[in-house]
Amino acid sequence: MRLPEHGANPHHVYERVGIDVPERVLDFSENVNPAGPPSSIQQSWPDFLGQLSAYPDPQGEPFLTAAADFHGVSKNDVFTGNGAAELLALIAERYRGKRAVVVHPTFSEYEATLTAKHVEIVRVTASAVNAFRLPVQDIMRAMDGAAVLYLCTPNNPTGILPEQHELAGIVQHAKEVGCEVVLDEAFIDFVDESLSFIAQIKEDPHVIVVRSMTKMYAIPGIRLGYVIADPAIIQEIKALAPHWNVNGIAAQIGTACLQEEGYRQQAIDFSNRQRESMKAFLQAQGCTVTNSVTNFLSFKPPAGQEAKELYRMLLKEGIVLRHTENFQGMDGEWLRIGMKNEADMAVLKRGLAELLSSPDPARLTFISGGVRSGKSAYAEQLLLDKARQHGGRLVYIASGTATDPEMQARIARHQRDRVAQNWTTLEQPMQIENVLPNIQTGDFVLWDCVTTWLANELFDGWETGNPCIDQPGCMEQKWTRLEDTLDALLEKAEHLVIVSNEVQDEWPTGSIETETYRQWIGQIHQKLVMKADMAIEMDYGIPTFWKGETGR
């Protein structure tokens, strides 16, 4: 199933995934100003209707002059077009049969238009590990022998704006190696017009800037954009375009939009507030969020939740996000959100909160190792980290008993350490089921350890001469109770970690009791590992992962 490669038109998404369209659909997949067109456009609409009976100006006037004046450039530096998609198609013709560098993840239209012109595409990918910052050195190497570099500033879909010094270095290198640079500034007006590269076009005639009117002014239905570049490049692009490629109503509306300074500032302020609010919300849910500066952001759901499944679940609720299936470097693992009005954003947050916090079975981690192998310290730190990240109480189920002065001192030391780290300690040498009334939903629980519990239970009744180890079926009953107890703990705890000693490598003693103990601990370890999401063996303080993830 191939999902649509652009946002908007959500009915196509529902058709592709085979989900019935809900009565109410909120579309966050497109990133157009939610305020709608400026009020002056709506009020002047009757005046625009007069353009219906007249041929439009072939140069795109009066919009051509308005765009030139807005940026302080000559009309010879500007070409107007039927939206950025048409402009990109015309620009791509300049590079027919040549080589282009495209930096991913990015807008799919670059490669679509270049491929249609038989352009060889060299792909450079910004890494999520590096927060999608531009891989400057990789880009510069790729430009050698290339005719053009395409950059989206700010980037779509990450919303990240390249550092000005990095962009300047890339542009300078492009000049040195004879490579043109196409800068797509479709979203720069949501940031700061002073950051546009247009002011530097005269010094860098190898740079072509593409601008869109669609996003800021919420007029995607009329299709309007423009290119600013050296006059020689503008003439070459113009020669490729059809006559009357900008309709008369679009030219009038675009001219009026560029006069709307107050409208633009309100849109920037609103976008910034909504984006930062959504970013904080997503981070509180454990998501990774891009450092966007524009009217959208991308996020990766927390570990254990797949973006594709979250995307489908939101579709069923009538909430459409932008998938990243066709964004190289994101590969469907991220989702993009376009900022909307406050009411719609509230609906989205409620939907995400419900799905991102859906109660999954608590994770069970089993950690074993020899004496002084570091297993207890590792287990404690694992839960300390998780509790700090997600919030929750730390609970320590201690099964050790003070059988000698050394053990007594060790227990006292551990108790002091746990108090300092805000652990709630439950001393339970036997009958672990007795701790259940003291466990709260969302607790991070550590049970240390199985080996002392097993010794206590096996020799329960020793003082009366009738220990459990000598009673047929006794230990089986205790194990059954323990299994039920673990299931009950997992229903309430956020995470349960169980620690045990590895004794199977020790020499046989010839003692029947010891060998019975070893048989039981081996069976219990196997069952716990089968039940666990993650199984770790500690040796010299170093964990070996036998089951589950390879890190915290």
Side-chain angles (χ1 to χ4, degrees):
M1 174 193 67
R2 187 177 179 87
L3 293 171
E5 295 196 353
H6 296 276
N9 307 119
H11 58 283
H12 290 308
V13 174
Y14 282 98
E15 289 173 4
R16 298 281 180 89
V17 299
I19 296 175
D20 292 336
V21 182
E23 291 185 9
R24 183 195 67 175
V25 173
L26 298 179
D27 186 10
F28 298 87
S29 71
E30 51 89 1
N31 33 36
V32 170
N33 186 347
S39 58
S40 61
I41 304 302
Q42 302 175 45
Q43 294 165 6
S44 301
W45 185 249
D47 298 333
F48 297 143
L49 294 180
Q51 300 296 319
L52 289 175
S53 58
Y55 277 95
D57 182 88
Q59 309 298 323
E61 292 287 12
F63 181 61
L64 176 68
T65 297
D69 291 345
F70 183 79
H71 292 289
V73 299
S74 166
K75 290 194 294 183
N76 294 329
D77 299 330
V78 184
F79 173 77
T80 61
N82 184 34
E86 181 195 53
L87 297 172
L88 290 169
L90 295 173
I91 291 170
E93 182 63 39
R94 291 180 56 77
Y95 313 112
R96 178 181 288 274
K98 299 179 182 179
R99 179 183 300 171
V101 179
V102 179
V103 183
H104 289 272
T106 199
F107 187 38
S108 62
E109 206 66 22
Y110 308 149
E111 288 207 11
T113 54
L114 290 167
T115 300
K117 310 299 182 182
H118 307 289
V119 177
E120 176 189 352
I121 297 173
V122 178
R123 298 178 180 89
V124 178
T125 304
S127 171
V129 175
N130 197 31
F132 295 110
R133 287 176 60 104
L134 285 182
V136 176
Q137 296 304 316
D138 292 343
I139 293 171
M140 289 184 175
R141 282 192 292 270
M143 278 194 287
D144 291 341
V148 65
L149 164 71
Y150 278 67
L151 278 180
C152 192
T153 60
N155 177 266
N156 176 19
T158 67
I160 296 171
L161 184 69
E163 296 287 342
Q164 291 297 291
H165 71 278
E166 293 179 342
L167 184 58
I170 290 171
V171 169
Q172 178 59 33
H173 182 75
K175 180 185 293 185
E176 294 168 359
V177 299
C179 179
E180 292 185 350
V181 180
V182 173
L183 296 180
D184 181 355
E185 293 186 348
F187 297 96
I188 197 75
D189 40 15
F190 278 98
V191 189
D192 188 337
E193 195 63 49
S194 68
L195 298 174
S196 170
F197 201 86
I198 290 173
Q200 298 167 245
I201 287 292
K202 290 298 183 185
E203 290 74 29
D204 294 295
H206 63 299
V207 177
I208 302 170
V209 177
V210 180
R211 296 292 293 257
S212 170
M213 297 293 289
T214 294
K215 311 301 183 180
M216 168 57 76
Y217 301 102
I219 52 173
I222 65 169
R223 313 305 304 141
L224 186 62
Y226 54 100
V227 172
I228 295 184
D230 182 80
I233 295 177
I234 293 298
Q235 287 303 312
E236 291 178 13
I237 295 173
K238 184 178 179 180
L240 299 170
H243 208 56
W244 300 310
N245 68 313
V246 174
N247 74 73
I249 292 179
Q252 293 288 342
I253 290 176
T255 301
C257 284
L258 290 177
Q259 312 307 314
E260 294 284 346
E261 182 176 352
Y263 170 92
R264 284 192 296 275
Q265 191 56 53
Q266 288 180 356
I268 292 171
D269 294 342
F270 181 83
S271 171
N272 289 342
R273 288 197 307 272
Q274 293 301 323
R275 184 189 67 246
E276 291 306 308
S277 174
M278 178 56 70
K279 181 178 181 179
F281 166 81
L282 290 168
Q283 289 176 329
Q285 301 294 322
C287 300
T288 303
V289 187
T290 58
N291 191 28
S292 174
V293 296
T294 186
N295 64 326
F296 58 86
L297 55 77
S298 291
F299 75 97
K300 186 176 183 179
Q305 290 191 301
E306 291 190 1
K308 296 178 183 180
E309 183 59 26
L310 179 61
Y311 178 75
R312 290 182 63 88
M313 290 190 291
L314 287 169
L315 284 177
K316 293 177 181 178
E317 299 299 320
I319 295 173
V320 184
L321 302 188
R322 175 64 164 92
H323 67 87
T324 60
E325 297 286 320
N326 63 312
F327 288 120
Q328 182 176 315
M330 287 183 150
D331 306 315
E333 297 178 356
W334 297 70
L335 296 168
R336 192 190 70 190
I337 299 172
M339 299 302 108
K340 302 300 173 187
N341 62 54
E342 292 181 354
D344 289 351
M345 297 303 289
V347 172
L348 174 60
K349 288 179 180 178
R350 287 195 296 271
L352 284 170
E354 182 177 343
L355 294 173
L356 291 174
S357 61
S358 297
D360 292 323
R363 294 201 63 188
L364 171 60
T365 298
F366 176 70
I367 303 176
S368 66
V371 176
R372 305 293 195 277
S373 62
K375 57 188 180 296
S376 295
Y378 187 90
E380 290 176 17
Q381 191 61 51
L382 188 152
L383 287 185
L384 279 167
D385 290 347
K386 289 185 176 294
R388 290 193 187 106
Q389 181 181 0
H390 301 288
R393 194 175 64 142
L394 291 161
V395 178
Y396 202 115
I397 303 173
S399 294
T401 54
T403 54
D404 53 56
E406 180 186 357
M407 188 64 175
Q408 187 174 16
R410 284 181 60 195
I411 291 175
R413 184 176 69 255
H414 289 316
Q415 288 173 336
R416 289 193 299 270
D417 293 342
R418 292 197 294 270
V419 168
Q421 295 173 337
N422 295 319
W423 289 88
T424 296
T425 300
L426 304 176
E427 302 287 349
Q428 200 66 45
M430 298 167 51
Q431 299 172 338
I432 300 300
E433 62 270 20
N434 290 341
V435 306
L436 291 175
N438 299 304
I439 302 299
Q440 301 173 10
T441 300
D443 283 348
F444 292 86
V445 180
L446 170 57
W447 176 28
D448 193 351
C449 69
V450 174
T451 45
T452 53
W453 166 85
L454 177 60
N456 295 337
E457 294 284 13
L458 274 174
F459 294 99
D460 179 32
W462 184 267
E463 64 279 1
T464 65
N466 190 28
C468 178
I469 196 171
D470 292 338
Q471 299 177 39
C474 177
M475 196 59 222
E476 284 79 359
Q477 293 177 9
K478 290 179 181 289
W479 167 248
T480 298
R481 284 203 302 273
L482 178 63
E483 278 192 308
D484 293 340
T485 300
L486 296 180
D487 289 339
L489 282 170
L490 290 171
E491 288 180 4
K492 299 181 73 174
E494 182 71 18
H495 198 115
L496 172 61
V497 176
I498 298 175
V499 174
S500 189
N501 283 324
E502 183 54 66
V503 300
Q504 298 302 322
D505 294 335
E506 298 177 6
W507 287 95
T509 63
S511 164
I512 295 176
E513 290 81 7
T514 300
E515 292 308 306
T516 300
Y517 176 89
R518 286 159 63 101
Q519 290 175 14
W520 266 106
I521 198 67
Q523 293 178 39
I524 291 173
H525 282 188
Q526 290 183 46
K527 292 178 180 179
L528 289 176
V529 169
M530 290 178 62
K531 193 179 188 70
D533 301 292
M534 186 160 59
I536 303 170
E537 182 180 3
M538 296 295 298
D539 200 4
Y540 303 108
I542 301 173
T544 298
F545 293 81
W546 292 106
K547 182 180 181 182
E549 65 190 55
T550 58
R552 293 188 231 157

